[in-house]
Amino acid sequence: MPLSDYDPASLPDLLPLYYRRLFPFSQYYRWLNYGGVQKNYFQNREFSFTLKDDIYVRYQSFSSQIELEKEMQKMNPYKIDIGAIYSHRPNQHNTVKSGSFQALEKELVFDIDMTDYDDVRSCCSAADICSKCWTLMTIAIRILDRALREDFGFKHLLWVYSGRRGVHCWVCDEAARKLTVAARSAVAEYLSLIKGGEETMKKVVLMDPIHPFIRASLAVVNKYFLRYALQDQDILGQKESVEKVLALTPEDILFNNSHPLIFRTVSLSKLKHSFKIMLQYCYPRLDVNVSKGVNHLLKSPFSVHPKTGRISVPIDIGNLDAFDPFAVPTISLDRPMEAEDEENAEETKENDKDAADRRKIRGDEV
């Protein structure tokens, strides 16, 4: 689906205006400060900036909202990532005794990327999305939100559109922020059902009896499956897609006939109730490594996606089915740049160059 009139080449001119006039610094600080739950909670939070020309600056930290604002308006990052709460100020990590700089807390996070669904969508591939395959993100949010609230008792969940092809979830409860790596891994594994890489044909294994969590997830999938799989993706309409379905379909629900395998037909009513097929096509595909690590970075809400210009906006879970990733705000402006803006933009470019020269350091790989 076509993007708006956004031109990636205009990003250096637009970012200074965005960070000076539109970025919600006050609400952003209130969220990450959590009401000052403990001393230096915000101050010990890691931020990572990706600057122009892929200059990657890790271990940024700020003493206040004002300092955060000034630095972001000076550096105009192309991307912002949020990390953990550390034992010491991240920007002083090189001065701390070896081994004592430790990640202590972070929100429990989940990352769902549409590229992980390429084997079950025919409308798009790679980074491309459309309204037909976006249904997969809607299903993922509904399944995970229900499980995190009802099965684990979490209350404070922030769902965010990534700005291009996926969604992120930030579980902000104090209990979630304090989870150990082992506990995070246990939650992630509980929620993970799709197993195996591209070479694995059957990615869903169900035990008998089916776990209540799986049954609750199936209830969500069932609401979307017929429209998504049989209409939007037309999984029984092309030779290749039919072969995939047949490979997943138990023999007892295939019509017996003498035709070659590809010409066999599948009972749609039985296919609808074939749990493994429904789950393989529609169940959330998690990047569990993002969820397991306390020190793993995740793209910040309200960050700008450089290639699409779209803002990583929170998703209203109460109006989920109406969410349209192509209708979210973009950084493109509908008015000419004013003289003051042009002057400030030029000044910002100079600051960017100076900052890059001073701090052209590469962060550790995540």
Side-chain angles (χ1 to χ4, degrees):
M1 188 171 290
L3 301 177
S4 64
D5 294 332
Y6 168 73
D7 178 5
S10 67
L11 193 61
D13 295 326
L14 296 174
L15 283 172
L17 305 181
Y18 176 65
Y19 288 127
R20 191 171 69 254
R21 296 189 172 187
L22 299 174
F23 193 91
F25 285 107
S26 177
Q27 295 89 337
Y28 192 71
Y29 174 79
R30 285 177 58 196
W31 166 41
L32 294 174
N33 192 45
Y34 288 99
V37 290
Q38 63 188 56
K39 185 179 179 181
N40 295 329
Y41 200 78
F42 177 81
Q43 290 78 4
N44 287 6
R45 167 84 70 170
E46 179 191 1
F47 293 85
S48 168
F49 293 161
T50 302
L51 309 180
K52 188 178 180 181
D53 299 323
D54 288 328
I55 298 172
Y56 186 49
V57 187
R58 276 200 69 170
Y59 301 115
Q60 304 298 291
S61 59
F62 308 99
S63 61
S64 65
Q65 175 186 331
I66 293 176
E67 185 178 338
L68 171 68
E69 286 188 44
K70 288 182 177 179
E71 192 68 12
M72 285 176 60
Q73 290 168 356
K74 181 177 74 174
M75 300 183 73
N76 295 294
Y78 276 45
K79 181 187 175 198
I80 307 164
D81 288 294
I82 297 176
I85 308 296
Y86 281 85
S87 53
H88 302 77
R89 291 283 299 270
N91 61 2
Q92 300 173 358
H93 73 283
N94 286 327
T95 66
V96 177
K97 183 180 178 181
S98 177
S100 62
F101 181 69
Q102 301 290 332
L104 303 179
E105 294 186 16
K106 194 190 70 175
E107 294 80 3
L108 175 63
V109 296
F110 297 92
D111 181 11
I112 309 168
D113 195 315
M114 192 73 83
T115 56
D116 294 326
Y117 293 83
D118 277 359
D119 62 320
V120 295
R121 59 178 183 145
S122 59
C123 53
C124 305
S125 63
D128 294 332
I129 62 170
C130 70
S131 58
K132 291 182 178 180
C133 56
W134 187 256
T135 301
L136 292 167
M137 295 294 105
T138 301
I139 294 172
I141 293 174
R142 290 209 180 278
I143 288 176
L144 298 178
D145 191 82
R146 187 217 62 80
L148 290 166
R149 294 179 189 276
E150 296 181 16
D151 298 358
F152 291 96
F154 297 128
K155 297 179 180 179
H156 305 289
L157 278 62
L158 174 64
W159 286 96
V160 181
Y161 170 49
S162 71
R164 190 173 193 185
R165 60 178 183 249
V167 295
H168 301 150
C169 179
W170 300 76
V171 186
C172 301
D173 301 58
E174 181 180 4
R177 303 197 307 270
K178 294 180 179 296
L179 288 175
T180 63
V181 171
R184 292 168 193 267
S185 299
V187 175
E189 291 299 334
Y190 175 90
L191 296 172
S192 298
L193 186 61
I194 306 297
K195 306 289 185 180
E198 294 182 4
E199 71 286 349
T200 304
M201 178 61 70
K202 297 182 179 181
K203 295 182 171 65
V204 175
V205 176
L206 297 181
M207 307 301 291
D208 191 18
I210 296 177
H211 193 280
F213 163 65
I214 303 299
R215 291 194 175 277
S217 300
L218 277 164
V220 174
V221 171
N222 191 51
K223 295 178 181 178
Y224 296 91
F225 183 74
L226 286 180
R227 177 172 63 83
Y228 171 74
L230 301 183
Q231 297 178 28
D232 293 345
Q233 302 301 321
D234 193 21
I235 65 173
L236 299 182
Q238 301 293 327
K239 177 179 178 179
E240 183 179 356
S241 58
V242 169
E243 286 180 333
K244 288 183 179 180
V245 174
L246 293 175
L248 298 172
T249 306
E251 293 183 1
D252 60 346
I253 71 168
L254 291 174
F255 283 128
N256 291 319
N257 55 42
S258 58
H259 292 297
L261 181 64
I262 191 56
F263 294 111
R264 294 184 187 176
T265 57
V266 180
S267 167
L268 297 188
S269 62
K270 291 181 179 179
L271 177 61
K272 176 182 175 182
H273 298 291
S274 182
F275 294 166
K276 290 183 181 180
I277 294 175
M278 293 170 65
L279 292 170
Q280 179 146 334
Y281 273 82
C282 297
Y283 189 83
R285 302 187 173 202
L286 304 176
D287 185 344
V288 294
N289 291 324
V290 172
S291 303
K292 291 179 178 181
V294 178
N295 63 345
H296 203 295
L297 298 169
L298 186 63
K299 184 179 182 180
S300 168
F302 304 109
S303 191
V304 179
H305 197 290
K307 293 185 177 180
T308 66
R310 300 188 196 120
I311 310 299
S312 297
V313 294
I315 297 173
D316 180 5
I317 195 73
N319 198 27
L320 181 58
D321 288 327
F323 179 80
D324 181 357
F326 301 102
V328 303
T330 69
I331 196 172
S332 297
L333 302 177
D334 296 327
R335 60 169 179 78
M337 186 179 288
E338 298 173 0
E340 177 190 357
D341 295 334
E342 292 180 351
E343 181 181 343
N344 288 330
E346 288 300 320
E347 180 182 347
T348 301
K349 285 181 182 178
E350 291 300 318
N351 288 337
D352 283 349
K353 184 177 183 302
D354 293 342
D357 291 341
R358 293 195 310 270
R359 310 176 67 172
K360 195 165 187 176
I361 60 173
R362 297 283 177 176
D364 300 334
E365 290 295 327
V366 180

